């Protein structure tokens, strides 16, 4: 889970990247190797300006859940326990290594919370993807 910082003045991109070696002056999701849920309520992959509407907007508050299912090649997100469904389905998401990634502008921040149980809404999606 990622908890938004209440002082954020810009939107954040959260997701995964196939590499950790790229120019940090651009967001990981601007490249073909990055997939993100953007704070404007959009998905981003291979673009810094265009993406499909997805979920809800977030900036200064909220808890974002991120679930990568490498067996199915899917990436899903949730906001405050509301599951938005599969955001991305891509065979590239089945091949490692894959890194967690966050793109921040100045005056942005968040807190990463790890070691928690996987929320039930993500478990239900995993079962649907893998036990058909």
């Amino acid at each position: 889970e990622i908890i938004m910082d209440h002082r954020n003045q810009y939107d954040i991109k959260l997701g995964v990247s196939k590499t950790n070696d790229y120019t940090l002056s651009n967001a990981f999701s601007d490249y073909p190797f990055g997939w993100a849920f953007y704070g404007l309520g959009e998905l981003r992959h291979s673009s810094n300006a265009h993406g499909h509407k997805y979920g809800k907007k977030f900036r200064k508050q909220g808890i974002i859940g991120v679930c990568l299912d490498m067996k199915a090649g899917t990436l899903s997100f949730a906001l405050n326990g509301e599951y938005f469904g599969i955001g991305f389905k891509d065979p590239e998401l089945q091949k490692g290594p894959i890194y967690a990634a966050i793109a921040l502008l100045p005056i942005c921040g968040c807190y990463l919370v790890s070691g928690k149980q996987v929320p039930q809404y993500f478990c239900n999606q995993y079962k649907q993807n893998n036990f058909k």
Side-chain angles (χ1 to χ4, degrees):
E1 292 181 338
I2 298 100
I3 301 171
M4 297 297 101
D5 189 307
H6 68 280
R7 298 167 291 183
N8 286 348
Q9 293 186 11
Y10 297 98
D11 295 298
I12 293 175
K13 295 176 182 173
L14 308 163
V16 298
S17 174
K18 294 280 293 175
T19 183
N20 61 1
D21 184 24
Y22 57 93
T23 304
L24 297 178
S25 60
N26 296 323
F28 64 96
S29 58
D30 296 355
Y31 300 100
F33 52 77
W35 296 262
F37 178 28
Y38 187 26
L40 293 175
E42 298 177 358
L43 295 172
R44 292 293 167 89
H45 174 61
S46 298
S47 175
N48 69 345
H50 304 288
H52 297 287
K53 294 287 183 195
Y54 177 85
K56 295 180 179 177
K57 293 181 180 182
F58 64 92
R59 179 181 288 172
K60 294 185 178 200
Q61 60 187 2
I63 300 172
I64 309 298
V66 181
C67 184
L68 172 65
D69 181 343
M70 290 182 70
K71 185 173 181 183
T74 61
L75 184 61
S76 304
F77 301 91
L79 174 61
N80 296 325
E82 182 181 351
Y83 176 63
F84 297 132
I86 294 171
F88 296 100
K89 184 166 179 63
D90 190 324
E92 286 299 311
L93 293 172
Q94 294 177 299
K95 308 170 197 166
I98 296 180
Y99 303 91
I102 300 174
L104 304 168
L105 290 170
I107 315 173
C108 279
C110 59
Y111 304 92
L112 176 63
V113 180
S114 62
K116 296 183 75 174
Q117 292 264 337
V118 176
Q120 190 61 43
Y121 49 83
F122 284 138
C123 294
N124 292 341
Q125 184 60 48
Y126 177 79
K127 288 176 188 173
Q128 288 177 0
N129 286 341
N130 294 292
F131 297 107
K132 290 183 179 180

